[in-house]
Amino acid sequence: SAVISQKPSRDICQRGTSLTIQCQVDSQVTMMFWYRQQPGQSLTLIATANQGSEATYESGFVIDKFPISRPNLTFSTLTVSNMSPEDSSIYLCSASTGFYGYTFGSGTRLTVV
Amino acid sequence: AQKITQTQPGMFVQEKEAVTLDCTYDTSDQSYGLFWYKQPSSGEMIFLIYQGSYDEQNATEGRYSLNFQKARKSANLVISASQLGDSAMYFCAMREPYNNNDMRFGAGTRLTVKP
């Protein structure tokens, strides 16, 4: 299955700033997904990112806060904008490689102070 | 509506014993896949086992097996011969290929293996 390199692995950011998380896949994939995992919680889907089209956001997530880029079939970024302490979470990207194949990046542990 | 339900926030098991983690799901699709992931404290998601809705046999992967009861819409994970390294969060998840095909997760179960 595909391998995803996600970076940064962790960061501590000041409130009001933005952080861009990058995910690089070692093969071409059609669908990529971004998840947020708040402390002690499960994974919640933020958006689905398909190459060549705008990302589709889940209820409660907006493009102004979490802009996503998908410039090609192997790369995607998620930006967490105007951060507040409530944005402190683990952010994970994933890629679908067929119905069975579903690979996660190693996650970005974000702390906003 | 919650599609994946894990009713055990925490579970304890003695080392070398077996443990069952519960998962029920809700879908009206005929085609779907059920997954279990392990998440250690490092935060990475480790794939454990997969069960397709059309699979007649229960899936097994080493010490992991999935007790699939389709009529009851349950997909319980059984870990045999527990090891200390099995202590982690465990998530049940489902994919529906005709419904965006993303992965939807349950709330998770924290498993602690006692020496």
Side-chain angles (χ1 to χ4, degrees):
Chain A
S1 60
V3 175
I4 301 179
S5 298
Q6 182 173 346
K7 58 182 182 181
S9 58
R10 59 177 61 232
D11 207 341
I12 301 174
C13 300
Q14 296 290 322
R15 66 176 67 199
T17 63
S18 298
L19 175 71
T20 295
I21 302 167
Q22 299 180 0
C23 280
Q24 178 75 52
V25 192
D26 69 348
S27 59
Q28 293 185 340
V29 294
T30 303
M31 302 180 79
M32 292 187 71
F33 306 92
W34 287 95
Y35 290 86
R36 180 177 73 180
Q37 186 179 23
Q38 294 177 301
Q41 303 293 315
S42 184
L43 281 73
T44 300
L45 182 67
I46 297 172
T48 301
N50 292 327
Q51 192 268 338
S53 62
E54 283 196 10
T56 302
Y57 289 83
E58 295 295 302
S59 175
F61 297 96
V62 295
I63 187 171
D64 290 347
K65 177 66 175 178
F66 298 101
I68 288 170
S69 77
R70 184 82 202 275
N72 56 53
L73 291 173
T74 63
F75 188 77
S76 180
T77 68
L78 169 76
T79 299
V80 186
S81 303
N82 188 25
M83 288 184 285
S84 66
E86 292 71 34
D87 294 319
S88 297
S89 297
I90 297 174
Y91 292 86
L92 294 119
C93 65
S94 64
S96 174
T97 57
F99 183 70
Y100 175 74
Y102 201 87
T103 304
F104 282 92
S106 54
T108 297
R109 192 179 294 269
L110 171 63
T111 302
V112 183
V113 297
Chain B
Q2 183 62 263
K3 289 205 168 189
I4 299 287
T5 302
Q6 294 179 254
T7 58
Q8 306 156 313
M11 288 282 286
F12 292 89
V13 64
Q14 207 66 36
E15 192 177 10
K16 300 182 183 177
E17 292 186 350
V19 63
T20 298
L21 306 184
D22 295 341
C23 173
T24 59
Y25 60 92
D26 182 31
T27 180
S28 56
D29 287 356
Q30 295 300 309
S31 178
Y32 53 89
L34 298 159
F35 300 75
W36 277 91
Y37 284 87
K38 173 184 178 181
Q39 188 181 45
S41 56
S42 59
E44 62 184 310
M45 295 293 286
I46 301 171
F47 166 76
L48 296 178
I49 198 166
Y50 162 82
Q51 179 85 41
S53 58
Y54 296 113
D55 295 340
E56 295 185 353
Q57 300 287 332
N58 285 342
T60 61
E61 290 285 350
R63 294 187 298 111
Y64 305 107
S65 61
L66 200 153
N67 184 2
F68 182 46
Q69 298 187 45
K70 193 170 183 177
R72 295 185 177 183
K73 293 187 175 179
S74 74
N76 298 339
L77 176 71
V78 180
I79 305 175
S80 63
S82 297
Q83 303 172 356
L84 296 178
D86 293 335
S87 294
M89 281 293 289
Y90 288 81
F91 291 100
C92 179
M94 179 173 67
R95 291 183 79 183
E96 298 165 297
Y98 303 108
N99 185 16
N100 197 46
N101 209 18
D102 59 272
M103 193 82 75
R104 301 285 169 160
F105 290 85
T109 296
R110 179 169 297 281
L111 177 66
T112 302
V113 180
K114 296 180 175 179

